[in-house]
Amino acid sequence: MNIDQAIKEASSVLKKNRIKSAFLDCEILMSKALNKSRKFIIMNPNEKINDYEYRKFKKLISSRSNNKPIAYIIGKKSFWKYNFNVSEKVLIPRPDTEILIEQVLKIYKKKESINFLEIGIGSGCIILSILKEKKSFLGRGIDVCKESLKVCKDNANKLNLFNRLKLFKSDIDNFHLGKYDLIISNPPYIKKLDFKNMDDEVVKFEPKIALNGGLDGLSEIRKVIKKSSELIKIHGKLILEIAHDQKNEVKRILRNNNFYIKEVVKDFANKDRCIISTKI
Ligand code: GLN
């Protein structure tokens, strides 16, 4: 068996199981099985693979057939400019979330140092990408999930970011520490009833705790806004990721908590995705 034959065979298995990016996924999983780069896989289709490697590859393909996301199978996902470790206890970083980083860089273009908080860090992709871009920013991150802190720590170590980062295991209700120039969060915002319309990959594998926003999708957003209004400095900024249909409700909650709405930013699909407000 060579690389090309194994990939063709596996690709038809994935297609039968309605995996959209079957061929690409096979290349990625082959590179994982052989511990070689994707470039090597593409450049060496006739390279023989041994029984052990073939079995390992087939096992990875079988996970993918079951809809397990590639990011969880290989334990990595690229976001912004970096490759982040992920586990099934953290949400897979989404391209749309990069909008939050862009907005921070735009708002603080001329500002050297601020003290910011991220509520619900997951893999750490947001807080760490910001710290990497802004060399004098100090970041504090909280998450309820112990495993998430571990994943974020590993990513921080990989990116050499430990001295400007403080992490706490805490839920939002029990966190009272500090005053921040900026608070940022991609809270769980999916409506309970919307789960049934979501991709199997998300519903079956991603952590519900990072997605579930309760009956109206706003239960965590409400908590984040309320707590942020206590933890934020006057004129500090709150940047939130929201669902495409939550803009009006979230604006109302923000206003009720003394935030002035600065901007709503759309995602790559032209849907409202990020809301920026200022504490007054
Ligand atoms: N954007 C994510 C999704 O659609 C949800 C993220 C979240 O709830 N914060 O899967």
Side-chain angles (χ1 to χ4, degrees), residues 185 187 221 224-225 238-242 250 254 273-275:
S185 185
I221 291 186
V224 168
I225 294 177
L238 174 61
I239 302 183
L240 296 174
E241 181 172 324
I242 56 168
V250 175
L254 283 166
R273 181 64 60 198
C274 166
I275 186 158

Side-chain angles (χ1 to χ4, degrees), residues 91-92 94 96-97 185-191 195 198-199 202 206-213 217 241-243 246 273:
L91 203 68
I92 299 170
R94 314 284 206 254
D96 284 328
T97 303
S185 185
N186 173 16
Y189 55 65
I190 307 292
K191 282 191 199 82
F195 272 99
M198 290 172 79
D199 277 357
V202 179
E206 299 210 61
K208 289 279 177 317
I209 192 171
L211 294 164
N212 189 353
E241 181 172 324
I242 56 168
Q246 288 174 333
R273 181 64 60 198

Side-chain angles (χ1 to χ4, degrees), residues 37-51:
S37 69
R38 210 179 126 219
K39 187 171 166 202
F40 176 91
I41 304 300
I42 296 167
M43 303 291 280
N44 297 281
N46 299 322
E47 178 96 355
K48 293 261 173 293
I49 58 173
N50 63 35
D51 269 3

